[in-house]
Amino acid sequence: MQKYVAVRLKSVHHGLTGFAIQEAKVINYNLEKRDPALKNIIDALLEQGLEYTVNGCGIFWFHIDDERDLAFYESLREVEFAFSTEWLDSKKASIRGYTGMEYVDACAAIAKELTIKDQSRDINYEVPSVA
C-alpha cells in the first residue's frame, strides 16, 4: 500500500535507512519541494501549530510502499502524519484548476482534516543501524 509518512528525524538519511530496514520501498522524499499542494498543506499545518522541530528532530516527508497499514505508522511517536496516496490524490484532484488564494485556502482546508500530534512530546529517536 502506497502512503505518505511525515517523520521526525535528525536527517533524511536516517529515514531512508529506517525504511530500508523495515523493507518499505521509498518511492520519493523531500516531497514538499516537488508537490505544490503538499507544500501548501504543510504551510497551513505550520500555521495551525505544527512545529518545525520537536526534540531536535525536523520533519521529513516520504512517499513509501509497504504492506503495513496506516495505524502502524500513526502509532509511532516519531511519525507526525500518515495517509494513503489515494487520499492525497483525491484531495488534489478536488482542487485541480484552483489558482491563487483559492488554491491556498483549499490546501488549508485539507490540512484541517489532519490531526497534529502533541508538539511537546518526546521523540523516541535512535539512529538506525544496518546489521
Side-chain angles (χ1 to χ4, degrees):
M1 172 179 154
Q2 289 190 14
K3 61 193 72 75
Y4 289 87
V5 182
V7 188
R8 293 284 180 185
L9 301 165
K10 300 283 184 180
S11 161
V12 71
H13 301 292
H14 297 151
L16 294 171
T17 302
F19 285 121
I21 290 169
Q22 293 183 40
E23 298 180 359
K25 177 184 175 189
V26 174
I27 298 167
N28 215 334
Y29 60 96
N30 288 336
L31 301 166
E32 64 279 10
K33 297 176 182 175
R34 297 181 181 98
D35 186 325
L38 186 58
K39 181 190 181 316
N40 283 304
I41 291 168
I42 294 167
D43 288 345
L45 288 166
L46 290 166
E47 289 179 17
Q48 294 171 20
L50 180 69
E51 297 289 335
Y52 283 105
T53 59
V54 171
N55 273 36
C57 296
I59 190 163
F60 297 90
W61 291 80
F62 294 88
H63 186 199
I64 66 168
D65 190 5
D66 70 2
E67 297 304 315
R68 291 176 184 83
D69 62 14
L70 293 173
F72 169 81
Y73 288 103
E74 291 167 342
S75 71
L76 301 174
R77 293 181 69 77
E78 58 274 1
V79 172
E80 283 291 345
F81 307 102
F83 46 83
S84 72
T85 299
E86 293 81 16
W87 180 83
L88 184 59
D89 287 348
S90 72
K91 296 299 179 181
K92 290 191 312 187
S94 72
I95 63 173
R96 193 165 288 125
Y98 290 15
T99 59
M101 284 309 296
E102 182 182 36
Y103 186 77
V104 171
D105 290 344
C107 289
I110 295 168
K112 287 181 181 175
E113 296 181 35
L114 300 171
T115 302
I116 298 173
K117 289 184 176 180
D118 177 4
Q119 298 296 280
S120 63
R121 72 189 187 281
D122 288 330
I123 303 298
N124 296 332
Y125 178 76
E126 295 180 22
V127 176
S129 60
V130 178

